Amino acid sequence: MQLSNSEQEFLELYSDSEYEKPSVTVDAVLFRLKDIDTGNYRKLPQKKLQVFLVKRKFPPFKNQYAVVGTFIDLKNDIETSLKLCVKNKVNAQNYYYEQLYTFGEKQRDPRTRVISISYMLLFNQKENLENGEWFNIDLREDNHQLTENDAGYVFTKDIHLTLTGETEKLENHLKITIEKTNSNTNKKIEIVSSNIAFDHINIIYHALDRLKNKLEYTDIIFGLLNEKFTLTELKYSYEEILGEKLLDANFRRKTAHLVLPLNEFTKEAGHRPSQLFKANYNLKNKDID
Amino acid sequence: MQLSNSEQEFLELYSDSEYEKPSVTVDAVLFRLKDIDTGNYRKLPQKKLQVFLVKRKFPPFKNQYAVVGTFIDLKNDIETSLKLCVKNKVNAQNYYYEQLYTFGEKQRDPRTRVISISYMLLFNQKENLENGEWFNIDLREDNHQLTENDAGYVFTKDIHLTLTGETEKLENHLKITIEKTNSNTNKKIEIVSSNIAFDHINIIYHALDRLKNKLEYTDIIFGLLNEKFTLTELKYSYEEILGEKLLDANFRRKTAHLVLPLNEFTKEAGHRPSQLFKANYNLKNKDID
DNA sequence: ACAAAAGTGTTCCAAGTACACCCATGT
DNA sequence: ACATGGGTGTACTTGGAACACTTTTGT
């Protein structure tokens, strides 16, 4: 990885601006699980998955909601740009993050060619974010259609993603097409209609999908929980993201290796006190990309 | 997603060149499984995983090997740029591909700030590539070390990646550090020494890792096989990539739902003829990113 | 005959599924 | 007392692991 003298010379001559360059942004999809009180002193709060959006102050898409993002800074690494952006725009510093996907379709941004490197960020409820709003996420799938042929299949479905904030309800409709042939897999996402800026609903959908998939084989869930939690809280968290009910007894056994019991219990809850647990990070819950 | 008139006006004024932009490349890691003849008329060929590298004609890293890549073209989508690049540089058109990861550390490229969007491409043996060479991949892991603390753990290991071509043997040494804490997972890859250009060994390692992981829960393997294959061929393919032997009887049962039997058999092989199969693409082998 | 791959059958064990049941608490 | 969550036990099912065994071919 060392350069020879002649190579060094060449570098001096190298002109950086010979070809046109695209703009590059980092865009971050921020998630949390919010406790929704039930109003019943016995009942536990329900978990609701939320995404944090900010209202754009300038065109394009002025006054529309968007995910947190910025043009990247040449002086900083991508992840440093991400962290600075999140610090400056929403004033948050403690979160789990991972890279999602890089979007670069020609027409993404009406201004010019923009490539977006997207990240997923997970927050617990202690973090207070500024300059934006948390939106409840409701996902509904429709119109599943499978056409098989001898080279593979074509699968399509409709996605309805409703984002509900304090005052606004943002409806978004996507159409997914997965084309599998002899030699290729092609996943296309078409935005049928969207009430948020750019193709950001697409990015949010990708993040949701990744979150769901990673639940099953990693310990990513702990990014959304406080340090101490009950097993029922953990179960509600899984259920909210997966969109299905789980059996309690089995859930406890399956997740036993993911958690460590503490010698602390909840109280004043109108029912038997429950033991608190913390995450048990170990290598088996591998999180390797 | 429609723009108002005043937004349209703003766009006219928008200056594209107000801030410095990074350069962006697409880099493609090309894999295939090569049949290595055993010289014994009874024995089946062994499968060897290979990566395709091209020798750089210009600085930086002149005369060193690199993965196939190009600066992206503002006129085209990322994936179109990728396809054009692969067509032009190595003259290939039939392959499976998927996006891997986007690298953007400040020091990746000695010339200027370069962000690399990396892809993995899978070829079968029928494809003849030009202007480069296939290298055998040998991977060895070393020095596994796990230090646990109450907030998580730190895991390190050494990776030795040897790439063997017709005339050259390229040795590469990486050090992986996975730091897991309360609120974060941090995977660092340090290049201790490398005989190929840029940080490309890093990209290759990522591709290998992804390939291995995806073997277990998708039907990605078929991207490396010809249309028709025997079950033993399929088994050898898994074994070569996973780096471990599998039990034949169990393998047949487990992969039964992945394949469709054909009414064709191999012959003149010095042993019982074997039935040929083709991929059975179905939705259960989900390949959703 | 025999070496190699092709293919089947069987036993054992681990883990997931479904469900019944009891416990502890605050109002 | 009772609603609610906390927590355990058990019978059943499914699928993977290990391994023994038979079949078929070309030389």
Side-chain angles (χ1 to χ4, degrees), chain B residues 91-140:
Chain B
N91 196 26
Q93 284 178 285
N94 298 305
Y95 45 84
Y96 168 91
Y97 69 94
E98 67 175 57
Q99 196 187 99
L100 271 181
Y101 197 78
T102 298
F103 298 88
E105 288 68 49
K106 269 190 297 182
Q107 316 290 0
R108 289 192 60 248
D109 192 306
R111 291 168 294 192
T112 176
R113 182 68 186 279
V114 176
I115 287 174
S116 159
I117 306 170
S118 64
Y119 279 79
M120 168 167 71
L121 274 57
L122 305 184
F123 289 82
N124 66 33
Q125 292 183 62
K126 283 182 191 154
E127 284 285 303
N128 268 318
L129 308 199
E130 297 171 7
N131 304 315
E133 200 187 324
W134 287 105
F135 285 76
N136 285 356
I137 300 175
D138 290 288
L139 182 116
R140 189 165 52 82

Short mmCIF file of all heavy atoms in Angstrom, two decimals, chain B residues 91-140:
data_model
loop_
_atom_site.label_atom_id
_atom_site.label_comp_id
_atom_site.label_asym_id
_atom_site.label_seq_id
_atom_site.Cartn_x
_atom_site.Cartn_y
_atom_site.Cartn_z
N ASN B 91 -16.00 -7.45 -20.27
CA ASN B 91 -16.87 -8.00 -21.30
C ASN B 91 -17.78 -9.12 -20.80
O ASN B 91 -17.84 -10.20 -21.39
CB ASN B 91 -16.02 -8.49 -22.48
CG ASN B 91 -16.89 -8.71 -23.71
OD1 ASN B 91 -17.94 -8.09 -23.87
ND2 ASN B 91 -16.44 -9.63 -24.57
N ALA B 92 -18.47 -8.86 -19.70
CA ALA B 92 -19.40 -9.85 -19.17
C ALA B 92 -20.79 -9.24 -19.04
O ALA B 92 -20.93 -8.05 -18.77
CB ALA B 92 -18.94 -10.34 -17.81
N GLN B 93 -21.81 -10.07 -19.24
CA GLN B 93 -23.16 -9.54 -19.18
C GLN B 93 -24.14 -10.38 -18.36
O GLN B 93 -25.20 -9.90 -17.98
CB GLN B 93 -23.72 -9.39 -20.60
CG GLN B 93 -23.13 -8.17 -21.31
CD GLN B 93 -23.64 -8.05 -22.73
OE1 GLN B 93 -23.23 -8.80 -23.60
NE2 GLN B 93 -24.55 -7.12 -22.93
N ASN B 94 -23.77 -11.62 -18.11
CA ASN B 94 -24.70 -12.49 -17.38
C ASN B 94 -24.18 -12.82 -16.00
O ASN B 94 -23.20 -13.55 -15.87
CB ASN B 94 -24.93 -13.78 -18.16
CG ASN B 94 -25.55 -13.50 -19.51
OD1 ASN B 94 -26.59 -12.86 -19.60
ND2 ASN B 94 -24.88 -13.94 -20.56
N TYR B 95 -24.84 -12.28 -15.00
CA TYR B 95 -24.40 -12.53 -13.64
C TYR B 95 -25.49 -12.09 -12.67
O TYR B 95 -26.38 -11.31 -13.01
CB TYR B 95 -23.11 -11.75 -13.33
CG TYR B 95 -23.13 -10.32 -13.81
CD1 TYR B 95 -23.71 -9.33 -13.02
CD2 TYR B 95 -22.61 -9.95 -15.05
CE1 TYR B 95 -23.77 -8.02 -13.45
CE2 TYR B 95 -22.66 -8.64 -15.49
CZ TYR B 95 -23.24 -7.68 -14.69
OH TYR B 95 -23.30 -6.38 -15.12
N TYR B 96 -25.39 -12.62 -11.46
CA TYR B 96 -26.22 -12.17 -10.36
C TYR B 96 -25.46 -11.05 -9.67
O TYR B 96 -24.25 -11.10 -9.55
CB TYR B 96 -26.44 -13.33 -9.38
CG TYR B 96 -27.05 -12.90 -8.07
CD1 TYR B 96 -28.43 -12.88 -7.90
CD2 TYR B 96 -26.24 -12.48 -7.01
CE1 TYR B 96 -28.98 -12.46 -6.71
CE2 TYR B 96 -26.80 -12.06 -5.82
CZ TYR B 96 -28.17 -12.05 -5.68
OH TYR B 96 -28.72 -11.63 -4.50
N TYR B 97 -26.17 -10.02 -9.22
CA TYR B 97 -25.46 -8.97 -8.49
C TYR B 97 -26.30 -8.43 -7.36
O TYR B 97 -27.52 -8.48 -7.39
CB TYR B 97 -25.05 -7.84 -9.43
CG TYR B 97 -26.21 -7.02 -9.95
CD1 TYR B 97 -26.60 -5.85 -9.30
CD2 TYR B 97 -26.90 -7.42 -11.08
CE1 TYR B 97 -27.68 -5.10 -9.78
CE2 TYR B 97 -27.97 -6.69 -11.55
CZ TYR B 97 -28.34 -5.54 -10.91
OH TYR B 97 -29.40 -4.81 -11.38
N GLU B 98 -25.64 -7.91 -6.35
CA GLU B 98 -26.32 -7.18 -5.30
C GLU B 98 -25.38 -6.19 -4.64
O GLU B 98 -24.16 -6.39 -4.61
CB GLU B 98 -26.92 -8.13 -4.26
CG GLU B 98 -25.93 -8.89 -3.43
CD GLU B 98 -26.62 -9.71 -2.33
OE1 GLU B 98 -27.47 -10.54 -2.67
OE2 GLU B 98 -26.29 -9.52 -1.15
N GLN B 99 -25.96 -5.13 -4.12
CA GLN B 99 -25.14 -4.11 -3.47
C GLN B 99 -24.64 -4.62 -2.13
O GLN B 99 -25.35 -5.34 -1.42
CB GLN B 99 -25.97 -2.84 -3.25
CG GLN B 99 -25.10 -1.63 -2.93
CD GLN B 99 -25.92 -0.38 -2.54
OE1 GLN B 99 -26.10 -0.05 -1.38
NE2 GLN B 99 -26.41 0.30 -3.55
N LEU B 100 -23.40 -4.26 -1.80
CA LEU B 100 -22.77 -4.74 -0.59
C LEU B 100 -22.73 -3.70 0.51
O LEU B 100 -23.31 -3.85 1.57
CB LEU B 100 -21.31 -5.09 -0.87
CG LEU B 100 -20.94 -6.48 -1.32
CD1 LEU B 100 -19.44 -6.53 -1.48
CD2 LEU B 100 -21.41 -7.51 -0.32
N TYR B 101 -22.00 -2.65 0.25
CA TYR B 101 -21.69 -1.68 1.30
C TYR B 101 -21.06 -0.46 0.63
O TYR B 101 -20.53 -0.56 -0.47
CB TYR B 101 -20.69 -2.30 2.28
CG TYR B 101 -20.61 -1.57 3.59
CD1 TYR B 101 -21.59 -1.75 4.56
CD2 TYR B 101 -19.56 -0.68 3.85
CE1 TYR B 101 -21.52 -1.07 5.76
CE2 TYR B 101 -19.50 0.00 5.05
CZ TYR B 101 -20.48 -0.20 6.00
OH TYR B 101 -20.43 0.48 7.20
N THR B 102 -21.13 0.67 1.30
CA THR B 102 -20.49 1.87 0.76
C THR B 102 -19.37 2.30 1.67
O THR B 102 -19.58 2.51 2.87
CB THR B 102 -21.53 2.98 0.59
OG1 THR B 102 -22.50 2.54 -0.36
CG2 THR B 102 -20.88 4.27 0.10
N PHE B 103 -18.18 2.37 1.11
CA PHE B 103 -16.99 2.73 1.87
C PHE B 103 -16.64 4.18 1.60
O PHE B 103 -16.68 4.63 0.46
CB PHE B 103 -15.81 1.85 1.46
CG PHE B 103 -16.03 0.39 1.72
CD1 PHE B 103 -16.65 -0.42 0.78
CD2 PHE B 103 -15.65 -0.16 2.93
CE1 PHE B 103 -16.88 -1.77 1.03
CE2 PHE B 103 -15.86 -1.50 3.19
CZ PHE B 103 -16.48 -2.31 2.24
N GLY B 104 -16.26 4.91 2.66
CA GLY B 104 -15.96 6.30 2.39
C GLY B 104 -14.94 6.91 3.33
O GLY B 104 -14.95 8.12 3.54
N GLU B 105 -14.07 6.09 3.91
CA GLU B 105 -13.07 6.65 4.80
C GLU B 105 -12.22 7.68 4.03
O GLU B 105 -11.96 7.53 2.85
CB GLU B 105 -12.16 5.55 5.35
CG GLU B 105 -12.84 4.66 6.37
CD GLU B 105 -13.94 3.80 5.73
OE1 GLU B 105 -13.67 3.17 4.70
OE2 GLU B 105 -15.08 3.82 6.24
N LYS B 106 -11.80 8.66 4.78
CA LYS B 106 -11.10 9.78 4.16
C LYS B 106 -9.88 9.35 3.35
O LYS B 106 -9.57 9.90 2.31
CB LYS B 106 -10.63 10.76 5.26
CG LYS B 106 -11.62 11.84 5.57
CD LYS B 106 -10.99 12.88 6.46
CE LYS B 106 -10.60 12.27 7.80
NZ LYS B 106 -10.02 13.28 8.70
N GLN B 107 -9.15 8.37 3.87
CA GLN B 107 -7.84 8.06 3.29
C GLN B 107 -7.85 6.91 2.30
O GLN B 107 -6.80 6.40 1.93
CB GLN B 107 -6.85 7.72 4.43
CG GLN B 107 -6.89 8.64 5.62
CD GLN B 107 -6.34 10.03 5.32
OE1 GLN B 107 -5.91 10.29 4.19
NE2 GLN B 107 -6.35 10.91 6.30
N ARG B 108 -9.03 6.49 1.86
CA ARG B 108 -9.12 5.32 1.01
C ARG B 108 -8.26 5.43 -0.24
O ARG B 108 -7.67 4.48 -0.71
CB ARG B 108 -10.57 5.12 0.53
CG ARG B 108 -11.55 4.68 1.55
CD ARG B 108 -12.82 4.26 0.85
NE ARG B 108 -12.56 3.17 -0.05
CZ ARG B 108 -12.61 3.24 -1.36
NH1 ARG B 108 -12.95 4.35 -1.97
NH2 ARG B 108 -12.33 2.19 -2.11
N ASP B 109 -8.28 6.62 -0.82
CA ASP B 109 -7.64 6.83 -2.11
C ASP B 109 -6.64 7.96 -1.96
O ASP B 109 -6.98 9.01 -1.43
CB ASP B 109 -8.73 7.20 -3.14
CG ASP B 109 -8.22 7.16 -4.56
OD1 ASP B 109 -7.19 7.81 -4.85
OD2 ASP B 109 -8.85 6.49 -5.38
N PRO B 110 -5.40 7.79 -2.39
CA PRO B 110 -4.39 8.83 -2.19
C PRO B 110 -4.62 10.07 -3.03
O PRO B 110 -4.05 11.12 -2.75
CB PRO B 110 -3.08 8.13 -2.59
CG PRO B 110 -3.49 7.01 -3.47
CD PRO B 110 -4.86 6.60 -3.03
N ARG B 111 -5.43 9.98 -4.07
CA ARG B 111 -5.62 11.12 -4.95
C ARG B 111 -6.51 12.18 -4.33
O ARG B 111 -6.19 13.35 -4.25
CB ARG B 111 -6.28 10.66 -6.27
CG ARG B 111 -5.40 9.81 -7.12
CD ARG B 111 -6.18 9.17 -8.23
NE ARG B 111 -7.16 8.22 -7.72
CZ ARG B 111 -7.80 7.37 -8.50
NH1 ARG B 111 -7.62 7.37 -9.81
NH2 ARG B 111 -8.66 6.51 -7.98
N THR B 112 -7.67 11.74 -3.88
CA THR B 112 -8.68 12.68 -3.43
C THR B 112 -9.72 11.89 -2.66
O THR B 112 -9.61 10.69 -2.51
CB THR B 112 -9.34 13.37 -4.65
OG1 THR B 112 -10.38 14.22 -4.20
CG2 THR B 112 -9.92 12.36 -5.61
N ARG B 113 -10.73 12.56 -2.16
CA ARG B 113 -11.77 11.86 -1.42
C ARG B 113 -12.61 11.02 -2.37
O ARG B 113 -13.24 11.54 -3.27
CB ARG B 113 -12.66 12.89 -0.71
CG ARG B 113 -13.74 12.28 0.13
CD ARG B 113 -13.15 11.57 1.33
NE ARG B 113 -14.17 10.84 2.09
CZ ARG B 113 -14.97 11.40 2.97
NH1 ARG B 113 -14.89 12.69 3.22
NH2 ARG B 113 -15.86 10.67 3.61
N VAL B 114 -12.60 9.71 -2.14
CA VAL B 114 -13.37 8.82 -3.00
C VAL B 114 -14.30 7.95 -2.16
O VAL B 114 -13.87 7.31 -1.20
CB VAL B 114 -12.46 7.91 -3.85
CG1 VAL B 114 -13.31 6.94 -4.67
CG2 VAL B 114 -11.59 8.73 -4.77
N ILE B 115 -15.56 7.93 -2.55
CA ILE B 115 -16.53 7.05 -1.92
C ILE B 115 -16.81 5.90 -2.86
O ILE B 115 -17.03 6.11 -4.05
CB ILE B 115 -17.82 7.84 -1.60
CG1 ILE B 115 -17.53 8.78 -0.42
CG2 ILE B 115 -18.97 6.91 -1.30
CD1 ILE B 115 -18.66 9.71 -0.10
N SER B 116 -16.76 4.70 -2.32
CA SER B 116 -16.92 3.52 -3.16
C SER B 116 -18.19 2.76 -2.80
O SER B 116 -18.37 2.32 -1.67
CB SER B 116 -15.71 2.61 -2.99
OG SER B 116 -16.03 1.30 -3.38
N ILE B 117 -19.07 2.62 -3.78
CA ILE B 117 -20.27 1.82 -3.60
C ILE B 117 -19.95 0.44 -4.14
O ILE B 117 -19.70 0.27 -5.33
CB ILE B 117 -21.45 2.44 -4.37
CG1 ILE B 117 -21.64 3.90 -3.96
CG2 ILE B 117 -22.72 1.65 -4.13
CD1 ILE B 117 -22.63 4.66 -4.84
N SER B 118 -19.92 -0.56 -3.25
CA SER B 118 -19.43 -1.86 -3.69
C SER B 118 -20.57 -2.84 -3.96
O SER B 118 -21.61 -2.80 -3.31
CB SER B 118 -18.47 -2.45 -2.67
OG SER B 118 -19.12 -2.69 -1.46
N TYR B 119 -20.35 -3.68 -4.93
CA TYR B 119 -21.31 -4.71 -5.34
C TYR B 119 -20.62 -6.06 -5.36
O TYR B 119 -19.41 -6.16 -5.53
CB TYR B 119 -21.85 -4.40 -6.74
CG TYR B 119 -22.95 -3.36 -6.73
CD1 TYR B 119 -22.65 -2.01 -6.63
CD2 TYR B 119 -24.28 -3.74 -6.81
CE1 TYR B 119 -23.66 -1.05 -6.60
CE2 TYR B 119 -25.30 -2.79 -6.79
CZ TYR B 119 -24.98 -1.45 -6.68
OH TYR B 119 -25.99 -0.52 -6.65
N MET B 120 -21.42 -7.10 -5.18
CA MET B 120 -20.93 -8.45 -5.34
C MET B 120 -21.56 -9.03 -6.60
O MET B 120 -22.78 -8.91 -6.79
CB MET B 120 -21.32 -9.29 -4.12
CG MET B 120 -21.12 -10.76 -4.28
SD MET B 120 -21.25 -11.64 -2.70
CE MET B 120 -22.99 -11.51 -2.35
N LEU B 121 -20.76 -9.64 -7.46
CA LEU B 121 -21.27 -10.25 -8.69
C LEU B 121 -20.93 -11.74 -8.70
O LEU B 121 -19.80 -12.12 -8.39
CB LEU B 121 -20.62 -9.60 -9.92
CG LEU B 121 -21.25 -8.33 -10.48
CD1 LEU B 121 -21.34 -7.24 -9.44
CD2 LEU B 121 -20.46 -7.84 -11.69
N LEU B 122 -21.89 -12.56 -9.06
CA LEU B 122 -21.66 -14.01 -9.10
C LEU B 122 -21.76 -14.51 -10.54
O LEU B 122 -22.72 -14.21 -11.25
CB LEU B 122 -22.68 -14.73 -8.23
CG LEU B 122 -22.77 -14.29 -6.77
CD1 LEU B 122 -23.76 -15.17 -6.01
CD2 LEU B 122 -21.41 -14.31 -6.10
N PHE B 123 -20.77 -15.30 -10.92
CA PHE B 123 -20.71 -15.83 -12.29
C PHE B 123 -20.75 -17.36 -12.26
O PHE B 123 -20.29 -17.97 -11.31
CB PHE B 123 -19.41 -15.39 -12.97
CG PHE B 123 -19.38 -13.94 -13.30
CD1 PHE B 123 -19.02 -13.01 -12.33
CD2 PHE B 123 -19.70 -13.49 -14.56
CE1 PHE B 123 -19.00 -11.65 -12.62
CE2 PHE B 123 -19.68 -12.12 -14.86
CZ PHE B 123 -19.33 -11.22 -13.89
N ASN B 124 -21.28 -17.93 -13.33
CA ASN B 124 -21.06 -19.37 -13.48
C ASN B 124 -19.89 -19.56 -14.43
O ASN B 124 -19.36 -18.61 -14.98
CB ASN B 124 -22.34 -20.10 -13.92
CG ASN B 124 -22.78 -19.70 -15.29
OD1 ASN B 124 -21.97 -19.40 -16.16
ND2 ASN B 124 -24.08 -19.70 -15.51
N GLN B 125 -19.51 -20.82 -14.61
CA GLN B 125 -18.25 -21.07 -15.32
C GLN B 125 -18.34 -20.86 -16.82
O GLN B 125 -17.34 -20.89 -17.52
CB GLN B 125 -17.77 -22.48 -15.04
CG GLN B 125 -17.34 -22.64 -13.61
CD GLN B 125 -16.81 -24.03 -13.35
OE1 GLN B 125 -15.82 -24.44 -13.93
NE2 GLN B 125 -17.50 -24.75 -12.50
N LYS B 126 -19.55 -20.65 -17.31
CA LYS B 126 -19.68 -20.47 -18.76
C LYS B 126 -19.19 -19.10 -19.20
O LYS B 126 -18.78 -18.90 -20.34
CB LYS B 126 -21.14 -20.65 -19.18
CG LYS B 126 -21.56 -22.11 -19.22
CD LYS B 126 -23.01 -22.22 -19.68
CE LYS B 126 -23.52 -23.64 -19.45
NZ LYS B 126 -24.97 -23.66 -19.28
N GLU B 127 -19.25 -18.15 -18.29
CA GLU B 127 -18.87 -16.79 -18.63
C GLU B 127 -17.35 -16.66 -18.74
O GLU B 127 -16.62 -16.98 -17.81
CB GLU B 127 -19.36 -15.81 -17.57
CG GLU B 127 -20.84 -15.51 -17.64
CD GLU B 127 -21.21 -14.60 -18.78
OE1 GLU B 127 -20.67 -13.47 -18.87
OE2 GLU B 127 -22.05 -15.02 -19.60
N ASN B 128 -16.90 -16.14 -19.87
CA ASN B 128 -15.47 -15.91 -20.07
C ASN B 128 -15.17 -14.44 -19.92
O ASN B 128 -15.63 -13.62 -20.70
CB ASN B 128 -15.06 -16.36 -21.47
CG ASN B 128 -14.60 -17.79 -21.45
OD1 ASN B 128 -13.87 -18.20 -20.54
ND2 ASN B 128 -15.02 -18.56 -22.44
N LEU B 129 -14.40 -14.09 -18.91
CA LEU B 129 -14.10 -12.68 -18.68
C LEU B 129 -12.75 -12.32 -19.31
O LEU B 129 -11.88 -13.18 -19.47
CB LEU B 129 -14.08 -12.39 -17.19
CG LEU B 129 -15.29 -12.83 -16.38
CD1 LEU B 129 -15.36 -12.08 -15.07
CD2 LEU B 129 -16.59 -12.60 -17.15
N GLU B 130 -12.62 -11.04 -19.64
CA GLU B 130 -11.40 -10.58 -20.32
C GLU B 130 -10.64 -9.55 -19.48
O GLU B 130 -11.19 -9.00 -18.52
CB GLU B 130 -11.79 -9.92 -21.67
CG GLU B 130 -12.43 -10.91 -22.63
CD GLU B 130 -13.01 -10.21 -23.85
OE1 GLU B 130 -12.79 -8.99 -24.01
OE2 GLU B 130 -13.69 -10.91 -24.64
N ASN B 131 -9.40 -9.33 -19.86
CA ASN B 131 -8.57 -8.26 -19.28
C ASN B 131 -8.28 -8.41 -17.79
O ASN B 131 -8.10 -7.42 -17.09
CB ASN B 131 -9.22 -6.88 -19.48
CG ASN B 131 -9.50 -6.61 -20.95
OD1 ASN B 131 -8.63 -6.86 -21.79
ND2 ASN B 131 -10.68 -6.13 -21.24
N GLY B 132 -8.23 -9.63 -17.33
CA GLY B 132 -7.89 -9.83 -15.93
C GLY B 132 -7.70 -11.30 -15.66
O GLY B 132 -7.58 -12.10 -16.59
N GLU B 133 -7.71 -11.66 -14.40
CA GLU B 133 -7.39 -13.03 -14.05
C GLU B 133 -8.20 -13.49 -12.84
O GLU B 133 -8.48 -12.69 -11.94
CB GLU B 133 -5.89 -13.09 -13.71
CG GLU B 133 -5.29 -14.46 -13.79
CD GLU B 133 -3.85 -14.44 -13.28
OE1 GLU B 133 -3.13 -13.44 -13.51
OE2 GLU B 133 -3.46 -15.42 -12.63
N TRP B 134 -8.57 -14.76 -12.84
CA TRP B 134 -9.23 -15.34 -11.67
C TRP B 134 -8.19 -15.77 -10.66
O TRP B 134 -7.22 -16.44 -11.00
CB TRP B 134 -10.07 -16.56 -12.08
CG TRP B 134 -11.32 -16.21 -12.83
CD1 TRP B 134 -11.54 -16.34 -14.16
CD2 TRP B 134 -12.55 -15.69 -12.28
NE1 TRP B 134 -12.82 -15.94 -14.49
CE2 TRP B 134 -13.46 -15.53 -13.35
CE3 TRP B 134 -12.96 -15.34 -10.99
CZ2 TRP B 134 -14.74 -15.05 -13.17
CZ3 TRP B 134 -14.24 -14.85 -10.82
CH2 TRP B 134 -15.13 -14.71 -11.90
N PHE B 135 -8.41 -15.43 -9.40
CA PHE B 135 -7.51 -15.82 -8.30
C PHE B 135 -8.21 -16.75 -7.33
O PHE B 135 -9.33 -16.45 -6.88
CB PHE B 135 -7.04 -14.58 -7.53
CG PHE B 135 -6.01 -13.76 -8.26
CD1 PHE B 135 -6.38 -12.92 -9.31
CD2 PHE B 135 -4.67 -13.81 -7.90
CE1 PHE B 135 -5.43 -12.16 -9.98
CE2 PHE B 135 -3.72 -13.05 -8.57
CZ PHE B 135 -4.10 -12.22 -9.61
N ASN B 136 -7.56 -17.86 -7.01
CA ASN B 136 -8.09 -18.74 -5.97
C ASN B 136 -8.12 -18.00 -4.64
O ASN B 136 -7.20 -17.24 -4.34
CB ASN B 136 -7.20 -19.97 -5.79
CG ASN B 136 -7.37 -20.97 -6.91
OD1 ASN B 136 -8.22 -20.79 -7.79
ND2 ASN B 136 -6.57 -22.02 -6.87
N ILE B 137 -9.15 -18.25 -3.85
CA ILE B 137 -9.26 -17.59 -2.56
C ILE B 137 -8.99 -18.58 -1.44
O ILE B 137 -9.66 -19.60 -1.34
CB ILE B 137 -10.67 -17.00 -2.37
CG1 ILE B 137 -10.97 -15.98 -3.46
CG2 ILE B 137 -10.81 -16.38 -0.98
CD1 ILE B 137 -12.39 -15.45 -3.41
N ASP B 138 -8.00 -18.29 -0.62
CA ASP B 138 -7.79 -19.10 0.57
C ASP B 138 -7.85 -18.22 1.80
O ASP B 138 -7.13 -17.21 1.89
CB ASP B 138 -6.44 -19.83 0.49
CG ASP B 138 -6.47 -20.92 -0.56
OD1 ASP B 138 -7.14 -21.93 -0.31
OD2 ASP B 138 -5.87 -20.72 -1.65
N LEU B 139 -8.70 -18.59 2.72
CA LEU B 139 -8.93 -17.78 3.89
C LEU B 139 -8.54 -18.55 5.15
O LEU B 139 -8.90 -19.71 5.32
CB LEU B 139 -10.42 -17.42 3.97
CG LEU B 139 -10.83 -16.52 5.12
CD1 LEU B 139 -11.34 -15.20 4.58
CD2 LEU B 139 -11.92 -17.16 5.96
N ARG B 140 -7.78 -17.89 5.99
CA ARG B 140 -7.40 -18.52 7.25
C ARG B 140 -7.63 -17.53 8.37
O ARG B 140 -7.31 -16.36 8.25
CB ARG B 140 -5.92 -18.90 7.17
CG ARG B 140 -5.40 -19.77 8.32
CD ARG B 140 -4.05 -20.38 7.95
NE ARG B 140 -3.11 -19.35 7.49
CZ ARG B 140 -2.40 -18.58 8.31
NH1 ARG B 140 -2.49 -18.70 9.62
NH2 ARG B 140 -1.56 -17.67 7.80
#
